[in-house]
Amino acid sequence: MMMFSNKKPFVLLFLQLLLVTGYAQEFTDDAKINAGFLKSVDSLLSRVKTVTMEDAKKALGAPSLSVAAGLVKPSTKPVPANMLYEKAKKATVMVGCIYLCPRCSNTHISESSGYVIDPKGIVVTNYHVAATYANMSGGNKPLGFTVRMEDGATYAVQSVLTASKKDDLALLQLETGGAVLPALALGKPAKTGDEIFVLGHPKGMHYFFSRGHVVNKYMEEVNGDTGSFFREMMAISADYATGSSGGPVMDVYGNIVGTVSNTRMLLHSETNQSVQMVVKNTVPVESLLKLVHKE
């Protein structure tokens, strides 16, 4: 029998071997990611200006227009879930509204999700995510609007290219300095019953991956500022929560079929407020395709 006088080096060697051979996965360190985001933001904002709160507000209030983008070619072969996750991580981003609060001098980040669709730096997120930055209030002072990649690279949001409040979508242009970014392809519209995957950052749990199905595609009635209207929605069964807003919904090929938007609780009745079901609404890719076309 082989004996070891010191077990620790053997254990470290074994773990390194697992990582090299692909049998082990590095654990996500959310505290480290948060600290890295804050550090990179402080450095970035000292060098680069992001879109101003005022310009973002103007863009969000402008008519929705279709913009040209260097869309990547969709995949036609199913991808194992773990491989899909690794690929999607590289193009899924943390969208950060950077601000100072009136109670301290520390930099704060209001964090949501998004994903790259053009290697030259076009990111999709929710309208309400961009509006968080554009309409910041409560004594909070906006410092900038940024995006952080999975590899730690942080970029300034240069502009809001186009947006649709009705569809809860916004397209952001990053200042990449010429860097070519990993991007996700836009897929064909999903059907009820199709298997889907979601990636995002619910409550600061970075790169949380969930699996489910399309459970309904329907016209949702929404009460807006000027009255009610209807919009296309795709309900899914995969899990997500606050912070996942703007994250990608993908098919089994790894192509985008939707964008995480909101949740809606269905209660038993007005007198019995027990929650019976939570509807997880996403914006179908059909709505995104109205805002972007291949250049």
Side-chain angles (χ1 to χ4, degrees):
M1 180 181 293
M2 187 177 293
M3 301 296 291
F4 294 92
S5 58
N6 188 337
K7 292 183 179 180
K8 189 174 180 180
F10 173 72
V11 172
L12 291 175
L13 180 62
F14 178 69
L15 290 175
Q16 289 172 352
L17 180 63
L18 287 177
L19 289 170
V20 170
T21 56
Y23 288 104
Q25 177 183 333
E26 183 178 353
F27 288 84
T28 302
D29 189 335
D30 292 315
K32 183 178 179 180
I33 291 173
N34 286 332
F37 199 0
L38 276 170
K39 184 177 180 180
S40 64
V41 158
D42 287 336
S43 174
L44 178 72
L45 295 181
S46 68
R47 297 179 286 107
V48 182
K49 290 185 177 180
T50 75
V51 61
T52 65
M53 179 179 173
E54 292 75 18
D55 285 344
K57 187 177 293 187
K58 288 179 184 177
L60 292 177
S64 302
L65 300 173
S66 177
V67 298
L71 301 177
V72 297
K73 186 177 180 180
S75 174
T76 56
K77 294 182 180 180
V79 183
N82 57 347
M83 293 178 63
L84 190 153
Y85 169 71
E86 292 299 334
K87 177 183 177 182
K89 274 180 68 177
K90 293 178 173 59
T92 300
V93 304
M94 299 156 60
V95 180
C97 301
I98 318 303
Y99 67 98
L100 293 175
C101 78
R103 294 173 295 280
C104 70
S105 59
N106 296 329
T107 301
H108 301 281
I109 302 178
S110 174
E111 186 183 303
S112 301
S113 305
Y115 55 92
V116 180
I117 60 168
D118 183 331
K120 294 191 295 293
I122 296 179
V123 166
V124 176
T125 191
N126 290 140
Y127 180 100
H128 76 258
V129 170
T132 298
Y133 172 67
N135 300 312
M136 197 166 287
S137 60
N140 296 319
K141 178 184 177 182
L143 297 178
F145 199 20
T146 65
V147 158
R148 182 172 173 83
M149 305 293 296
E150 185 266 342
D151 65 2
T154 303
Y155 300 105
V157 175
Q158 187 179 60
S159 64
V160 178
L161 292 174
T162 189
S164 170
K165 185 175 183 179
K166 176 182 176 182
D167 296 311
D168 196 21
L169 290 172
L171 272 64
L172 314 177
Q173 176 63 61
L174 306 184
E175 174 54 69
T176 65
V180 178
L181 308 184
L184 296 174
L186 304 189
K188 296 179 180 178
K191 298 178 180 179
T192 300
D194 283 354
E195 186 176 20
I196 51 85
F197 301 88
V198 172
L199 191 58
H201 315 297
K203 292 288 187 179
M205 295 182 66
H206 299 98
Y207 298 100
F208 188 93
F209 189 55
S210 60
R211 186 179 201 162
H213 294 84
V214 177
V215 297
N216 196 12
K217 297 185 78 170
Y218 70 106
M219 300 300 295
E220 179 191 35
E221 185 174 10
V222 180
N223 293 318
D225 298 332
T226 58
S228 63
F229 61 90
F230 289 87
R231 63 181 177 189
E232 300 170 344
M233 276 287 141
M234 182 174 74
I236 64 174
S237 60
D239 281 332
Y240 59 81
T242 301
S244 300
S245 291
V249 182
M250 298 159 286
D251 60 19
V252 295
Y253 310 104
N255 302 322
I256 295 295
V257 294
T259 305
V260 172
S261 179
N262 63 75
T263 60
R264 180 164 63 96
M265 291 191 300
L266 301 185
L267 306 178
H268 180 275
S269 64
E270 290 185 5
T271 55
N272 181 352
Q273 296 289 306
S274 61
V275 177
Q276 292 204 316
M277 190 169 77
V278 177
V279 179
K280 296 166 185 172
N281 281 324
T282 69
V283 184
V285 72
E286 296 98 301
S287 298
L288 177 57
L289 289 170
K290 298 173 186 175
L291 297 180
V292 63
H293 59 273
K294 189 174 180 63
E295 63 179 11

